Amino acid sequence: MVARHAGDVRIHTFVASFADDNIANATHIIESRSGLVLVDAQFLAPYARQFRDYADGLGKPIDRLYVSHRHPDHWFGLGTAFGDVPIYALTETAGFIKEHGEDSRNDHWKLGNLAPSTVVVPQEMVKPGEAIIGGVTYLFEEVTDTEIDSMLTIKLPELGVQFVQDLIYSGTHLYLTSHLRHWSRVLQDMLLSDYDLFMPGHGLPADKNEVARNIEYLAAAGEAIAGGLTNQAFKDFMLHRYPERKCPGIFDIYLPRLFGGASDY
Ligand SMILES: [Zn+2]
């Protein structure tokens, strides 16, 4: 779908299923007059292929793809459908995929042929700062200690759009970490900004109301954890408090890490 159209530039988003075990992975395209810039690569092979088909259907060359962070639901699709595209990432993200990408793939053996058959490591490093690509101004920033230790965000000031990926879970349950307070402060800065469209890593494009709802979710989770809830009791509490949010499968991914010290792959 097209989320914004301003001048020569269109912002597209492609969202995987909200149903079953899917977690509504959201990947995006900035279409300028001359070409395409992609953000993230999807998780499961069928969605990676569909995202590639969507991009190819626009009839312009893919100039590059940015990987936001090292969680596999954002880069597994590189190996499925984007091996021929220049891949950019922060040094930390590229280093992790290079060092642990195969471990991560092996760790997801249960996915069978939904997982990629190879790992594609980002070769190009993103430096925080400004760049002009296809006539569009991009601001690259590294955000630390939120949903992940290192997250790339991309701002397009001329369009009022921020690609925030997993800083925002739009209409779905959040993947929680031990950095809830700092994460919340980062979201509060977004509320004070002049941007009005926030492209998430999961779910549909978000406005400031959804950013505020994410802040409220983080606060409720922090209080529940401070009150001693863990694992299933914590999950039950959050499901009861947020019945409208989709994709509860995310709890089973992060609870063993948040409360049990499971591996981060
Ligand atoms: Zn994610």
Side-chain angles (χ1 to χ4, degrees):
M1 66 180 258
V2 174
R4 176 147 294 175
H5 185 179
D8 282 344
V9 184
R10 286 197 295 175
I11 308 294
H12 304 258
T13 191
F14 175 89
V15 186
S17 175
F18 287 79
D20 305 320
D21 290 335
N22 289 291
I23 46 176
N25 281 102
T27 49
H28 316 294
I29 302 172
I30 301 118
E31 177 190 5
S32 65
R33 193 188 299 210
S34 57
L36 310 176
V37 172
L38 276 50
V39 181
D40 282 341
Q42 287 291 328
F43 182 30
L44 304 179
Y47 298 115
R49 288 192 201 100
Q50 286 174 40
F51 181 46
R52 178 68 194 245
D53 287 347
Y54 184 109
D56 288 345
L58 297 174
K60 294 178 183 175
I62 300 175
D63 185 47
R64 57 183 74 189
L65 185 153
Y66 289 96
V67 175
S68 63
H69 66 296
R70 63 179 164 78
H71 283 153
D73 54 318
H74 298 261
W75 60 263
F76 260 30
L78 294 177
T80 304
F82 298 97
D84 59 333
V85 170
I87 311 293
Y88 288 69
L90 292 167
T91 309
E92 292 83 348
T93 305
F96 179 90
I97 296 172
K98 185 172 187 204
E99 207 167 321
H100 300 295
E102 275 302 327
D103 299 334
S104 185
R105 219 170 58 80
N106 294 332
D107 222 36
H108 288 79
W109 60 272
K110 281 186 184 163
L111 292 176
N113 60 9
L114 296 177
S117 52
T118 56
V119 170
V120 168
V121 178
Q123 299 297 334
E124 307 288 341
M125 299 306 120
V126 183
K127 289 199 187 68
E130 186 179 319
I132 311 266
I133 304 162
V136 180
T137 304
Y138 288 66
L139 299 175
F140 299 100
E141 293 176 10
E142 180 180 8
V143 177
T144 55
D145 296 338
T146 56
E147 194 257 12
I148 186 80
D149 43 14
S150 174
M151 176 85 73
L152 174 68
T153 66
I154 304 171
K155 293 176 176 168
L156 306 185
E158 295 147 344
L159 284 98
V161 179
Q162 285 191 34
F163 296 83
V164 297
Q165 298 311 97
D166 285 6
L167 296 179
I168 292 290
Y169 281 71
S170 183
T172 69
H173 287 283
L174 281 66
Y175 176 110
L176 298 176
T177 64
S178 60
H179 303 295
L180 302 183
R181 281 219 186 116
H182 181 246
W183 184 353
S184 182
R185 280 198 292 274
V186 170
L187 297 188
Q188 281 163 21
D189 285 344
M190 286 161 58
L191 290 182
L192 297 176
S193 76
D194 290 333
Y195 293 82
D196 67 345
L197 183 61
F198 303 91
M199 306 302 281
H202 299 260
L204 298 168
D207 60 9
K208 283 189 178 178
N209 291 313
E210 182 61 18
V211 177
R213 283 191 284 267
N214 272 239
I215 293 171
E216 201 276 332
Y217 189 105
L218 294 176
E223 281 172 32
I225 293 168
L229 293 184
T230 61
N231 295 308
Q232 189 64 41
F234 177 77
K235 177 178 174 179
D236 290 344
F237 171 82
M238 296 302 281
L239 286 174
H240 184 255
R241 178 147 176 165
Y242 298 101
E244 74 284 5
R245 286 202 173 262
K246 297 187 168 66
C247 306
I250 200 100
F251 285 101
D252 301 327
I253 302 174
Y254 81 77
L255 288 177
R257 294 173 190 158
L258 185 59
F259 296 115
S263 100
D264 210 14
Y265 302 153

